[in-house]
Amino acid sequence: GELAQFWQIARSAVKEFGEPAGIAAFDAGVAGLSTNFGVDLDKMFASAAGEAFISLQLSKTATISVPAGTNAPLQVAQPTLLIGIAVKDASVPKGIENALQKMKLPLLKTEGAIPVTSISMGIPAPFPFQPAFAMDSSFFLFGSTPEVVNAALKASSSKAGLTATPGYKKAFDGLPAKNNGTFFMDPRFMKTFQEFQAAALRSSPQGAQAGMLTDIFGKRGDMMTAVVF
């Protein structure tokens, strides 16, 4: 996978171009992670299988209040983040859990067909934030909340995730099925982004541009972006 290659290149570059003291410090740091935290970086990077995704999702029901300068706060859909990395084995979640346990962070583990481990942060945030991770048969999943990870596991097992939706299929219809990557933004996300951008402009010295932005994009509520590369 690309991550494994990147790690090997990084290690080789340190040995080839680094000063003796720098090389020793780098090696000591890698060894220290394994000894002190149970994190074997070589195994974790070697486990990466070459595929990955990042998904920023917006709730259909919950909202958060975002400051908008001198104007009233903007109510936007509550965001969640999900990251997935294709893996060959359990080295990544094992390494992360070992480190968290060594750091004595409070971990919560939900029972189920696939356990989901989360970190009880106890830190105030403008939106729900309880980092969680799990691993299904081939992907390591990391999310901003246990709920988004559980939803991803459910979508994976039922084959009813984003790629199965009519909007996604329509957006990529006619585009190459074989590619190095894809980017997708649905109309609701696009509309939320435009509203946030307009609100930010209204509270800035360029406030007059907010109306222009609404005129340009406000009539395009069906805008959808699909890109392959």
Side-chain angles (χ1 to χ4, degrees):
E2 287 81 358
L3 286 176
Q5 293 176 1
F6 169 80
W7 176 240
Q8 291 305 316
I9 291 172
R11 296 208 69 163
S12 298
V14 170
K15 291 181 179 180
E16 184 173 353
F17 301 109
E19 297 292 333
I23 296 173
F26 180 84
D27 290 341
V30 173
L33 284 174
S34 179
T35 302
N36 301 323
F37 295 98
V39 176
D40 189 325
L41 289 180
D42 289 328
K43 285 186 177 180
M44 291 176 69
F45 277 102
S47 175
E51 291 185 64
F53 68 82
I54 299 177
S55 173
L56 181 59
Q57 306 171 24
L58 298 177
S59 172
K60 294 181 179 179
T61 55
T63 61
I64 61 171
S65 180
V66 178
T70 57
N71 298 295
L74 181 66
Q75 298 297 314
V76 299
Q78 178 179 292
T80 51
L81 177 68
L82 178 69
I83 299 173
I85 302 174
V87 291
K88 303 171 185 175
D89 54 42
S91 297
V92 174
K94 181 180 178 181
I96 292 175
E97 190 160 353
N98 286 344
L100 294 174
Q101 289 175 343
K102 292 286 187 178
M103 295 167 67
K104 301 187 183 301
L105 292 176
L107 301 181
L108 304 173
K109 184 168 289 189
T110 60
E111 299 300 327
I114 300 178
V116 175
T117 302
S118 61
I119 310 166
S120 181
M121 301 294 288
I123 301 175
F127 51 85
F129 183 64
Q130 185 181 343
F133 59 91
M135 179 179 164
D136 69 0
S137 59
S138 59
F139 266 84
F140 167 72
L141 300 171
F142 176 87
S144 56
T145 66
E147 290 77 15
V148 72
V149 174
N150 276 309
L153 292 171
K154 183 179 179 180
S156 176
S157 63
S158 65
K159 308 299 181 185
L162 173 64
T163 57
T165 61
Y168 185 93
K169 291 180 178 180
K170 179 181 178 181
F172 284 93
D173 184 34
L175 296 178
K178 291 185 177 182
N179 51 66
N180 293 317
T182 62
F183 174 84
F184 175 73
M185 184 183 295
D186 72 4
R188 195 167 68 90
F189 193 101
M190 179 72 81
K191 181 180 179 182
T192 301
F193 174 75
Q194 292 165 2
E195 289 174 347
F196 180 80
Q197 191 175 40
L201 278 173
R202 281 194 295 270
S203 61
S204 73
Q206 292 80 31
Q209 296 179 15
M212 294 173 58
L213 189 70
T214 302
D215 290 339
I216 294 172
F217 294 109
K219 300 175 183 178
R220 296 295 306 278
D222 61 341
M223 288 183 68
M224 183 182 301
T225 302
V227 179
V228 299
F229 48 88

